[in-house]
Amino acid sequence: MRPQILFSLFTPITTLPGIGPRNAKLLERLAGSIVVDLLWLLPRDIVDRRYMPLIRDASAERIATLKVTVSTHIPSSNKRHPYRILCRDDSGEMTLVFFHARSDYLKRTLPEGEIKIISGRLERFRGDLQMTHPDYIVDPEDIASVLRVEPVYPLTAAISPKTLTRAIQFALDKTGDLPEWIDSAFLQQRQWPDWKSALLSAHAPDDIAALSPVSDARSRLAYDELLANQLALGLMRESQRVQSGRKNKGDGTLREKVQRALPFTLTDCQEQVITEIDEDMASEGRMLRLLQGDVGSGKTVVALFMMLNGVASGGQAAIMAPTEILARQHLATITTLTSDADMTVMLLTGRDRGTARSKKLAMLASGDVDIIIGTHALFQDDVVFLDLRAAVIDEQHRFGVHQRLMLSRKGDGVDTLVMTATPIPRSLMLTAFGDLDVSRLTQKPPGRTPVVTRIMPLDRHGDVIDALDRALKADAKIYWVCPLVEESETLDLAAAEERFTELNTRFNGIVALAHGRMKHVEKDEAVSRFSDGDARILVATTVIEVGVDVPDATVMVIEHAERFGLAQLHQLRGRIGRGEQASTCLLLYGQPLTETAQARLKIIRETEDGFQIAEEDLKIRGAGEMLGTRQSGMPQFKVADIAFHGDLLATARNDAKLIINRDPDLKSPRGEALRVLLYLFGRDAAVLNLRSG
Ligand code: ADP
Ligand code: MG
């Protein structure tokens, strides 16, 4: 279990003084709900209050701390005028300015004749030096609490900087010394501080340089995080490897029947990947393989062939999709392709309830079901297989490592295939998957035409509508993707609904609307109206990102494209260009466009190669643009940033390997310390996987 030494950090933030339910909610959004989450919220700027001039010498427009004598209060004559307080030192006079002030409060805090320390931004107004609403007003003996460099934390609109800083300070106070988990030679070579010193110094930057991701303190903390990540992945991989696998291999009869039902021939690339999978599954060991392939590269049929190996060896297979829409699509495809193969294929989603669900579960447990297709619902404890041999996790980035294991634990030595359409740069691959076997579909099925991508400002809306009108006359099917407003799902919806109404009015009721807040039934209905029904335009939020397959859709409009991540734009665009007709993607952007946003849109316009887009994305994000990364599905590091810490990642990876070789159960003193590290970063599952957890 979690070491005692960490208990104080793993309590709810509401245990911190000054954090009630309201602030807790705000903080939770910013950092997380437990005390330890606050530790990783590092300052993004500083305020230097050490500038302490005489009034006469003070320069305006900067933060300063002054020692003044309060001379005269000048209450405001009416509500629009500020309350002013004249102050002086030996060199001159200045004014403190307060709007909407409570005079009793000011009289108490700044009594005439007393000496006070004030700190805040100085301004010059009609030649006079003044300070509006000082940040600090303290007695001279408390000057040390003011005269320093203050960290500035990232903020949400609604939480006050003081509350946040205080909460973080309390969190730091709860932090004890932890045993050293970094190899001592390496630590010495880098000259890094120990964990606690690094943490404290990262929170107390005394100049701008200390904010750099490659400062000693931050490098150390980043390394800790990367090491926890690599070690956790390595341990999981190890525990999978030691469980022996089973030889899963069919005699080819089933596969032949399915192959006959295929409306196309497999590409060379698909053939090759299937061979890799066959060999892996037929071996003694257990397969844990990642299949990477762009949207539309034909992963589904590969997954089906993989599952057939499990079924043909007398077992069962499962495929899990991240959304209900996608699960249903798999059901349709797989049912059709297996219609002559005498197999039972079943769907299980969150919508199955009561006796219908019990019936399905009974069939699964008795082995009457060969392939089950489902959503998260498959994870539930009462979902039991007679003999699960092959598991597929589709579009894996929506699921965590932990969840991947949950499905393959439902059988014995289950061969597992994890599929993703997110093209992932090699460095990020490592952080997400460690050393996983990888197969790649680099070729697209034949008969595709490249998508023409155009970029234009939002204010050419009228032209866009005219273009759609022409496209519709040529019988096109059109996706209209609505912008993502990070802060508010309600705003997302409002935007989507408004666009829907506008287009539906303009184009006489041939528009369908799908968004994440709809009931499943409604959403499916909307999508099928678009795929097989009367709708020619589908207005959607990013629910269409994952998996909706309407091959004859040829136009996509993306509103506020600058708000999406590159990977996401790439995935969205992958919904079109699936057939033989030419396709067009219109990226509409709002102005002003930042340089970074401009660069990103340019990449999307210039290439459809997912791997290239991913590499470029990583480079650009290194420039500090973080918008959209939350949607990219890659692990979110708290301190580490691969753009800066790529070399540390490589080191952490080697380090983790070495540790697992030498001390696979983490029993040595360093091993014990590493357990603390894993818990510190919430990698509990990795520790529980140890043979002597
Ligand atoms: P993804 O990799 O995005 O999951 P899918 O498996 O959904 O891609 O395949 C996309 C489309 O390509 C489907 O309509 C599928 O039937 C078709 N497809 C797959 N393989 C081939 C092939 N070898 N030749 C022609 N079409 C193919
Ligand atoms: Mg797919």
Side-chain angles (χ1 to χ4, degrees):
M1 288 295 106
R2 181 181 298 132
Q4 192 140 17
I5 204 170
L6 293 179
F7 281 6
S8 59
L9 291 177
F10 281 77
T11 51
I13 47 177
T14 43
T15 58
L16 297 172
I19 304 297
R22 193 186 143 270
N23 278 330
K25 240 199 182 128
L26 298 169
L27 266 182
E28 207 168 304
R29 219 181 298 152
L30 191 64
S33 58
I34 37 180
V35 173
V36 72
D37 295 323
L38 294 185
L39 301 183
W40 313 123
L41 201 61
L42 296 182
R44 58 167 180 73
D45 203 355
I46 53 172
V47 172
D48 190 344
R49 299 193 184 276
R50 291 172 303 184
Y51 174 58
M52 197 176 175
L54 289 173
I55 290 176
R56 184 187 55 211
D57 306 330
S59 16
E61 295 316 322
R62 64 180 287 190
I63 302 279
T65 302
L66 296 110
K67 185 177 187 179
V68 296
T69 307
V70 182
S71 4
T72 321
H73 280 236
I74 309 173
S76 42
S77 48
N78 69 47
K79 280 211 167 118
R80 264 168 303 142
H81 290 151
Y83 190 112
R84 298 161 70 234
I85 300 177
L86 300 184
C87 299
R88 61 180 155 73
D89 64 12
D90 293 340
S91 72
E93 278 213 324
M94 67 173 294
T95 311
L96 302 183
V97 180
F98 296 89
F99 290 92
H100 310 293
R102 287 201 348 253
S103 59
D104 54 336
Y105 165 78
L106 291 175
K107 291 209 167 99
R108 227 181 321 118
T109 339
L110 292 158
E112 289 178 3
E114 283 198 13
I115 297 179
K116 290 285 176 182
I117 305 295
I118 54 162
S119 183
R121 179 165 293 279
L122 288 174
E123 311 140 334
R124 210 165 275 287
F125 184 68
R126 300 200 178 126
D128 292 334
L129 193 68
Q130 64 177 39
M131 186 183 286
T132 306
H133 297 204
D135 302 328
Y136 292 92
I137 303 169
V138 302
D139 293 328
E141 60 266 30
D142 294 330
I143 187 165
S145 70
V146 176
L147 204 61
R148 57 189 194 98
V149 180
E150 241 172 40
V152 177
Y153 289 101
L155 285 180
T156 60
I159 196 158
S160 89
K162 270 191 187 163
T163 309
L164 180 60
T165 307
R166 236 166 63 97
I168 291 175
Q169 207 51 55
F170 279 122
L172 289 173
D173 291 344
K174 285 188 172 233
T175 306
D177 290 314
L178 299 182
E180 185 54 74
W181 48 73
I182 295 185
D183 173 64
S184 57
F186 181 56
L187 194 65
Q188 202 147 41
Q189 179 208 332
R190 292 278 177 158
Q191 303 259 306
W192 283 339
D194 64 75
W195 178 74
K196 188 173 174 191
S197 312
L199 190 68
L200 293 180
S201 108
H203 280 279
D206 49 16
D207 51 23
I208 293 286
L211 300 174
S212 157
V214 295
S215 70
D216 280 350
R218 289 202 187 199
S219 295
R220 148 103 215 198
L221 298 176
Y223 186 76
D224 292 339
E225 185 172 29
L226 294 169
L227 183 60
N229 165 272
Q230 290 299 295
L231 189 59
L233 288 168
L235 288 171
M236 297 227 185
R237 180 93 181 92
E238 189 61 19
S239 80
Q240 298 239 326
R241 199 167 32 213
V242 297
Q243 294 175 40
S244 56
R246 299 156 74 180
K247 296 185 185 177
N248 286 321
K249 185 174 180 327
D251 60 7
T253 339
L254 259 187
R255 184 173 286 191
E256 213 165 278
K257 287 185 178 153
V258 171
Q259 198 127 23
R260 248 183 273 135
L262 275 183
F264 47 73
T265 45
L266 296 173
T267 62
D268 293 348
C269 205
Q270 282 169 322
E271 295 274 13
Q272 196 202 315
V273 167
I274 290 168
T275 309
E276 285 168 15
I277 289 171
D278 288 347
E279 282 171 4
D280 207 351
M281 290 180 82
S283 75
E284 293 280 356
R286 180 171 172 198
M287 182 171 86
L288 184 56
R289 181 172 289 274
L290 179 73
L291 174 59
Q292 262 189 309
D294 242 332
V295 170
S297 60
K299 295 186 291 297
T300 314
V301 63
V302 174
L304 176 58
F305 277 38
M306 180 270 180
M307 292 194 283
L308 291 180
N309 285 341
V311 176
S313 339
Q316 294 164 295
I319 178 166
M320 187 175 66
T323 65
E324 175 127 9
I325 294 181
L326 198 55
R328 286 182 184 280
Q329 249 163 33
H330 283 330
L331 178 72
T333 311
I334 292 173
T335 309
T336 313
L337 293 180
T338 56
S339 56
D340 294 336
D342 190 25
M343 286 169 49
T344 309
V345 179
M346 195 172 81
L347 180 75
L348 185 76
T349 73
R351 265 200 253 167
D352 292 302
R353 300 240 163 80
T355 44
R357 180 170 182 273
S358 316
K359 237 175 161 174
K360 284 187 172 185
L361 295 187
M363 281 175 72
L364 189 66
S366 63
D368 291 343
V369 174
D370 300 300
I371 294 183
I372 189 160
I373 299 162
T375 55
H376 278 79
L378 287 182
F379 285 145
Q380 265 142 34
D381 281 338
D382 58 352
V383 176
V384 177
F385 293 78
L386 179 68
D387 183 15
L388 176 65
R389 286 174 178 245
V392 182
I393 319 283
D394 194 11
E395 307 290 355
Q396 85 78 35
H397 66 279
R398 296 281 165 126
F399 303 106
V401 173
H402 192 60
Q403 287 181 312
R404 302 207 301 261
L405 291 177
M406 278 166 63
L407 185 58
S408 42
R409 277 195 183 139
K410 288 185 180 284
D412 211 11
V414 181
D415 284 327
T416 304
L417 184 70
V418 175
M419 308 204 291
T420 176
T422 313
I424 307 167
R426 178 153 172 76
S427 53
L428 287 186
M429 273 287 291
L430 279 177
T431 65
F433 307 105
D435 289 317
L436 211 65
D437 293 314
V438 178
S439 294
R440 279 184 171 183
L441 286 176
T442 48
Q443 231 175 15
K444 287 204 178 177
R448 316 254 166 146
T449 32
V451 177
V452 174
T453 301
R454 293 169 58 202
I455 302 179
M456 53 174 81
L458 275 175
D459 54 23
R460 287 186 47 199
H461 191 71
D463 296 343
V464 174
I465 299 293
D466 290 345
L468 292 196
D469 194 30
R470 286 191 300 274
L472 286 169
K473 284 188 178 123
D475 241 11
K477 275 191 186 176
I478 301 164
Y479 287 107
W480 186 296
V481 183
C482 284
L484 195 79
V485 185
E486 283 252 358
E487 296 296 311
S488 151
E489 211 177 325
T490 339
L491 287 182
D492 273 7
L493 289 194
E497 269 158 7
E498 190 189 317
R499 192 60 69 223
F500 165 73
T501 309
E502 182 212 327
L503 294 173
N504 203 35
T505 311
R506 173 70 174 76
F507 295 115
N508 301 325
I510 55 161
V511 186
L513 172 66
H515 60 66
R517 279 284 190 82
M518 280 175 145
K519 293 218 180 74
H520 291 300
V521 199
E522 295 168 342
K523 199 160 58 185
D524 292 354
E525 216 170 90
V527 171
S528 63
R529 249 190 88 202
F530 181 61
S531 63
D532 313 306
D534 65 318
R536 311 297 300 178
I537 301 181
L538 179 66
V539 174
T541 54
T542 45
V543 292
I544 62 161
E545 180 195 347
V546 178
V548 174
D549 186 19
V550 183
D552 57 344
T554 53
V555 179
M556 174 171 288
V557 180
I558 303 180
E559 247 184 278
H560 276 296
E562 81 281 3
R563 292 187 188 162
F564 294 89
L566 268 186
Q568 205 180 11
L569 286 174
H570 176 65
Q571 294 236 1
L572 285 169
R573 183 174 56 182
R575 302 288 125 216
I576 55 172
R578 299 197 139 198
E580 313 226 332
Q581 296 132 285
S583 292
T584 310
C585 179
L586 295 180
L587 302 177
L588 307 182
Y589 61 86
Q591 281 158 317
L593 203 53
T594 64
E595 236 171 79
T596 323
Q598 221 166 341
R600 290 153 83 215
L601 294 182
K602 188 161 165 273
I603 292 163
I604 283 287
R605 191 185 58 203
E606 286 173 358
T607 180
E608 277 191 78
D609 178 339
F611 289 100
Q612 193 184 335
I613 291 172
E615 295 292 344
E616 297 291 333
D617 191 22
L618 185 65
K619 271 189 227 157
I620 296 179
R621 262 191 264 163
E625 182 84 356
M626 293 306 289
L627 197 68
T629 54
R630 209 175 310 163
Q631 283 76 44
S632 71
M634 295 309 294
Q636 291 290 307
F637 287 114
K638 301 162 199 292
V639 182
D641 180 341
I642 300 306
F644 293 100
H645 303 123
D647 59 326
L648 292 184
L649 174 64
T651 313
R653 176 175 169 233
N654 293 335
D655 200 1
K657 262 192 186 162
L658 218 65
I659 293 163
I660 292 168
N661 269 335
R662 285 194 191 146
D663 183 18
D665 300 319
L666 302 186
K667 284 198 152 145
S668 67
R670 185 181 177 209
E672 293 288 339
L674 285 162
R675 286 176 188 231
V676 175
L677 172 70
L678 290 170
Y679 278 113
L680 182 65
F681 281 99
R683 301 283 185 174
D684 302 23
V687 189
L688 296 177
N689 254 336
L690 294 173
R691 259 165 291 173
S692 52

